[in-house]
Amino acid sequence: MVGGLVVGHGWRFESAIVEATGSVLGRPGSANVVVARPDCSTVTRWLQSGRRRDLCVLLYDAEGLRGQSLKTRLESHYDGHFDSKSFYGALDWLIQQGFVEKRTEGIHEVYALTEAGERRVEEHFEWMREKVGEDHSPK
């Protein structure tokens, strides 16, 4: 493989020999094509959005929360209002990335963290603990 270039959200495009894995983009019959693969740096950037991070933190100790309940808790934390499109857009991104799962219970959508989501919250917590330190008290 020849070096890669990261473009967009979560995809790395590389020059490569045609492989059975990955989505192949290029001319048919060409030995060198562009292969689109998930970019592993997406995993480390999953909390780049504070809203997504805080949604995951709210879901961390819950078995699952209805969408409206989760939205209300987030708005209470920020002491503000989020429009539904923006709120559910953040949840949809987390679902697409595999950090949150959505299930239907009766007529309600219920959201819960996946194991990958739990790991990311724990990793972020450990990173914060390293940066802030346990012996620091709020100023």
Side-chain angles (χ1 to χ4, degrees), residues 100-132:
V100 170
E101 64 183 9
K102 177 173 69 170
R103 62 182 184 270
T104 302
E105 291 183 1
I107 61 170
H108 301 284
E109 301 291 331
V110 176
Y111 300 88
L113 278 184
T114 61
E115 288 182 22
E118 289 177 1
R119 277 194 312 273
R120 296 296 175 259
V121 170
E122 291 164 356
E123 289 169 0
H124 188 73
F125 177 76
E126 289 303 319
W127 177 79
M128 287 184 63
R129 186 190 330 248
E130 289 173 13
K131 299 301 177 197
V132 175

Side-chain angles (χ1 to χ4, degrees), residues 53-121:
R53 176 200 59 225
D54 293 342
L55 283 168
C56 289
V57 169
L58 288 170
L59 288 169
Y60 184 80
D61 66 349
E63 292 287 321
L65 292 173
R66 292 179 180 173
Q68 187 57 50
S69 176
L70 183 56
K71 185 175 182 283
T72 300
R73 291 176 189 205
L74 187 66
E75 289 172 339
S76 176
H77 173 70
Y78 283 103
D79 195 26
H81 174 74
F82 294 109
D83 68 273
S84 293
K85 183 177 179 180
S86 169
F87 170 78
Y88 286 102
L91 272 176
D92 287 343
W93 187 92
L94 290 166
I95 291 166
Q96 290 171 0
Q97 299 302 313
F99 299 120
V100 170
E101 64 183 9
K102 177 173 69 170
R103 62 182 184 270
T104 302
E105 291 183 1
I107 61 170
H108 301 284
E109 301 291 331
V110 176
Y111 300 88
L113 278 184
T114 61
E115 288 182 22
E118 289 177 1
R119 277 194 312 273
R120 296 296 175 259
V121 170

